Each structure stands twice: as C-alpha cells, then as structure tokens.
Amino acid sequence: MNMKIKINENYKNLKKSYLFSEIAKRVKAYSEENPSAKIIRLGIGDVTLPLTRSVTEAMTKAVAEMGERETFHGYAPDNGYDFLREAISRHYKRFGVDIPVEEISVSDGAKSDVGNITELFGDNPVLIPDPVYPVYYDSNVMSGRRISFIRADETNGFLPMPEGLSGEGYIIYLCSPNNPTGAVYDHASLKRWVDFAVSTGSLILYDSAYEAYIHGNFPHTIYEIEGARACAIEICSFSKTAGFTGTRCSWTVVPSELSAGGMSLREMWERRQATKFNGVPYVVQRGAEAALSDTGYAECMELVGYYMKNAALIAGVLREKGIFFTGGTSSPYIWMRCPSGMDSWSFFDSLLHGIQVVGTPGAGFGECGEGYFRLTSFGSREATEEAVARLRGFLQ
Ligand code: MLT
C-alpha cells in the first residue's frame, strides 16, 4: 500500500546497507553456498574474550539484588547511577583530568550517543575525517546535514589537521585512536584542533572508544588538552575496554562551559536523554563500575594486552610480505594497503573466497579508504593464528 505519510527524504541519500550489515550479508551468502567452509571473522570489531571476573562478580551480586524486594531497582536515573558516574570521574584522574560527575551521562553505547547527539544541533557544516567510523557520516546524512570530508591518507599519516580550513561553527568529528586506521593524535596535534575549534566557535565530537589501546605518550582524553572544555564533547565506551559489546554501556561528557544559541549543551543533552532514553540496566552499570576499579581496570588491560598480541601477529605477516599498513600499536585495528592495487571490495571477496578470512573493505569507511582493508585483532588467539597462517600462504 502506498501510504500518504511523508518520509525523511534524507534516507534516500544513504547507502543501501550499513557497512557491517553488508559484510554480514555477504558472509552469510558465502557460508550458505559453502556450508563446510571454516570462516574466520576479522571484520566487525567485536570482542571475543569473556567479561572479566570483577565485572561478572559485580553483575552476579547485582542480579541477586534485583531478586530481592529491598534491593530491587526499577528505572535507572536518566544520566546513570551516581556510583558509575563517580567511577568514570575517578577514571579520568588516571589521566590527570578532572571531570565533575554532573558532566557525565551514562548510556547504552558510543554508537547510540554519536548518532543521537546530532539532534542537538541545527544546520551547521559538519567536518568528518575520511576514512572513519561510518556512523558519523550516516547519522548526519539521516538528518540532512552539510558534510565536508577532511582527508586522511598516507601523506598526513591518516591524521588530518585543521590548517587550510576556513569557516566557522563547524561540528567536527575526531576519533583517536582512529577507527579504522589506528592513527593517534599526539598532544600537539590535538591542541591544533582545539585551538581551531575555539577560534572558529566550532564543536569537536571526540570519540575515544579505543583510548585503552594507546601505547606511548598520547592523549587518552581530549580534556588533557588545554582549552578542550570550551569546545569538545567526549564519547567513550566500555565495549572495547571491558568487552561490553554485547552488554552495552558507554558515557558522554558534556562540559558545563559548552553553550550555543543561549542554551547549555549539557542541559540539552540531559533533556534529550530524559525524554528518549530510559537508562542502562542496574546490573550492567554495576558491572561497568567494577571494570573501572583498580582491580577491574587491571583485568581490562589484560584483555587489551591479549588483543594487542593478536595485532602483532597480523602485523608480523604483513611486514614479512612487505605490505604497507598502519595501526596495531595503539589500536586493535590493522589498516593495510590492498595488494596489487586491488580495490577494497575485490580484496574482501578474494580473501573470503580464497582463504575464508573476513575483513572490512576500506572503502566502507569513506572514499579515502578505497584501496585499503581493515583487519581486527579482536578474534581469539587460535582464530588469529589460523588467519595469519592462511594470509601467509595467500599473500604474495
Ligand atoms: C567496528 O568494527 O568498527 C566497530 O565494532 C563498530 C562499532 O563499534 O560499532
């Protein structure tokens, strides 16, 4: 039936499928045609190690509380329980940064917050690095924004800088360590972005979902940079740090200093969340709190260490074959150039059909990603070793 309602026409401007849905579709089709194929999935960055002991103990205790009348919890507070917001605030002190509890709001995932926060803004020009996590682009297409790309390529080490940009009032997305390239801004380069944002009255949306993977002296949070409180919102996640991809918990920091059009952005975000979101379950928030305790955090760092060993194995075979790549040192992703000048979807197909290894075509992260390919180190050690052995035989 052709209904009479009007739709959001912007949806017509989206690619037919979300990147990781498209990959899942192709892998499903291949596996249906080849039911005995042993497929190794190094595509979507989904963790494989279980939740840590601190987290499961805290969650088990919380489940028991939920089963007793005296300790049962109903709706969570809009911005998260104070015990978790306080734990997040203390976590920032690990990086020498003070974030007041009231600036932290807990949510069910960085992906949700990255998409939902666009509702706060009007018709601003949007700057999105290319290549980058596709949610930034897709969510701005959905709301019909004017999008410009900032090129990240081998010439700038996949770290675009603001020099040469003119204009004001931008919404700027930065992701460091970057998904997919693994490139990380150092303090000096991030300062240049902060200065640019302050001088042009722009807002940086800073995605620090991979900060736990940083190795060396790089900022873990944009608030390590002077001036950032005046221009940046930070979104971070428990998914990759504590293995919460299936458990769902994240947070967003909106500093009190941020205001535009006579409105406080923090109050707007709280208003949005209070209306459209009913909070992260108590049990999950207790688990997240435990992940940030000293013991819990040390356990998380063991997870990170495990995945980084996988990254080193993947990096090793690429080095052996003389294939250019970035990432894998401060990031769980390896970003490699496709061999023999192949385009990234052809390389995807050749790996899937040739050695049954799934990765993510670089073109899915933006035009500048064409000719590159992302492999994740979130697989099990066994699967990663097997993938590396297959790649060793397959790559020239
Ligand atoms: C990725 O593979 O890029 C991520 O897992 C996607 C996500 O975090 O939503």
Side-chain angles (χ1 to χ4, degrees):
M1 185 181 97
N2 199 15
M3 300 168 80
K4 302 284 183 212
I5 59 165
K6 293 196 175 69
I7 56 155
N8 178 349
E9 295 283 328
N10 298 316
Y11 274 65
K12 293 182 176 165
N13 300 324
L14 290 167
K15 289 200 194 97
K16 199 160 182 303
S17 310
Y18 178 59
L19 173 61
F20 295 107
S21 316
E22 175 63 29
I23 291 172
K25 217 167 12 184
R26 290 194 190 205
V27 174
K28 184 165 181 274
Y30 177 82
S31 107
E32 278 166 7
E33 276 163 32
N34 303 274
S36 62
K38 291 211 167 55
I39 298 172
I40 302 178
R41 290 174 169 78
L42 304 182
I44 190 165
D46 194 3
V47 296
T48 50
L49 290 176
L51 299 173
T52 63
R53 182 175 289 270
S54 296
V55 169
T56 53
E57 282 178 1
M59 291 173 94
T60 304
K61 182 165 172 277
V63 167
E65 287 177 48
M66 292 296 281
E68 300 294 334
R69 187 184 286 258
E70 298 72 33
T71 47
F72 169 78
H73 287 77
Y75 290 126
D78 297 337
N79 293 297
Y81 286 101
D82 279 347
F83 62 76
L84 178 54
R85 299 167 84 201
E86 282 159 13
I88 294 166
S89 177
R90 279 195 302 277
H91 176 62
Y92 275 98
K93 292 205 195 314
R94 294 190 166 110
F95 315 122
V97 166
D98 282 322
I99 300 291
V101 167
E102 59 273 15
E103 296 180 349
I104 297 165
S105 62
V106 171
S107 139
D108 66 346
K111 184 184 194 175
S112 320
D113 283 8
V114 160
N116 293 334
I117 204 141
T118 56
E119 285 182 25
L120 269 46
F121 313 120
D123 181 24
N124 307 288
V126 178
L127 291 179
I128 298 182
D130 176 1
V132 88
Y133 185 40
V135 175
Y136 310 158
Y137 177 72
D138 282 2
S139 53
N140 278 286
V141 169
M142 286 173 179
S143 48
R145 298 278 152 71
R146 291 171 285 145
I147 301 167
S148 305
F149 292 107
I150 35 182
R151 284 184 70 90
D153 54 29
E154 290 181 29
T155 65
N156 57 18
F158 294 99
L159 291 170
M161 297 305 302
E163 285 77 19
L165 291 169
S166 58
E168 53 183 28
Y170 289 109
I171 305 289
I172 304 164
Y173 287 80
L174 295 179
C175 177
S176 178
N178 179 272
N179 176 12
T181 67
V184 199
Y185 283 109
D186 63 15
H187 290 80
S189 349
L190 203 49
K191 176 83 174 114
R192 277 152 66 192
W193 272 112
V194 166
D195 289 347
F196 173 79
V198 169
S199 69
T200 56
S202 301
L203 174 74
I204 295 175
L205 293 177
Y206 192 74
D207 181 347
S208 60
Y210 297 93
E211 64 81 11
Y213 290 81
I214 288 176
H215 178 76
N217 184 22
F218 297 98
H220 284 253
T221 154
I222 194 165
Y223 304 117
E224 286 180 49
I225 309 300
E226 200 194 327
R229 289 187 54 84
C231 66
I233 287 175
E234 179 162 292
I235 297 171
C236 196
S237 167
F238 288 91
S239 286
K240 313 297 158 77
T241 306
F244 271 48
T245 53
T247 308
R248 311 308 306 151
C249 197
S250 70
W251 73 85
T252 289
V253 175
V254 187
S256 304
E257 283 91 328
L258 298 180
S259 68
M263 300 276 281
S264 147
L265 296 191
R266 180 165 74 77
E267 285 171 15
M268 286 175 74
W269 178 239
E270 286 173 2
R271 186 71 178 80
R272 190 262 169 220
Q273 291 297 82
T275 306
K276 298 194 181 182
F277 180 61
N278 243 342
V280 175
Y282 174 72
V283 174
V284 171
Q285 294 200 44
R286 280 294 184 198
E289 176 196 25
L292 294 183
S293 69
D294 286 340
T295 310
Y297 197 61
E299 291 166 353
C300 288
M301 288 303 112
E302 280 175 32
L303 303 184
V304 168
Y306 175 98
Y307 294 132
M308 291 312 283
K309 177 86 201 302
N310 286 349
L313 293 173
I314 301 170
V317 71
L318 298 181
R319 232 175 255 121
E320 230 173 88
K321 301 286 177 181
I323 294 174
F324 172 88
F325 71 93
T326 60
T329 49
S330 283
S331 149
Y333 298 126
I334 303 275
W335 179 248
M336 61 178 284
R337 207 187 283 148
C338 299
S340 323
M342 275 172 113
D343 70 75
S344 49
W345 278 106
S346 302
F347 186 57
F348 171 90
D349 287 331
S350 78
L351 275 194
L352 177 60
H353 292 255
I355 55 170
Q356 294 75 51
V357 170
V358 179
T360 308
F365 297 98
E367 263 176 40
C368 294
E370 182 54 281
Y372 294 88
F373 198 73
R374 193 193 78 173
L375 290 167
T376 155
S377 61
F378 285 126
S380 68
R381 178 64 38 76
E382 300 69 35
T384 306
E385 281 171 349
E386 174 62 24
V388 164
R390 293 186 197 176
L391 285 166
R392 185 169 285 117
F394 185 76
L395 297 169
Q396 302 291 309

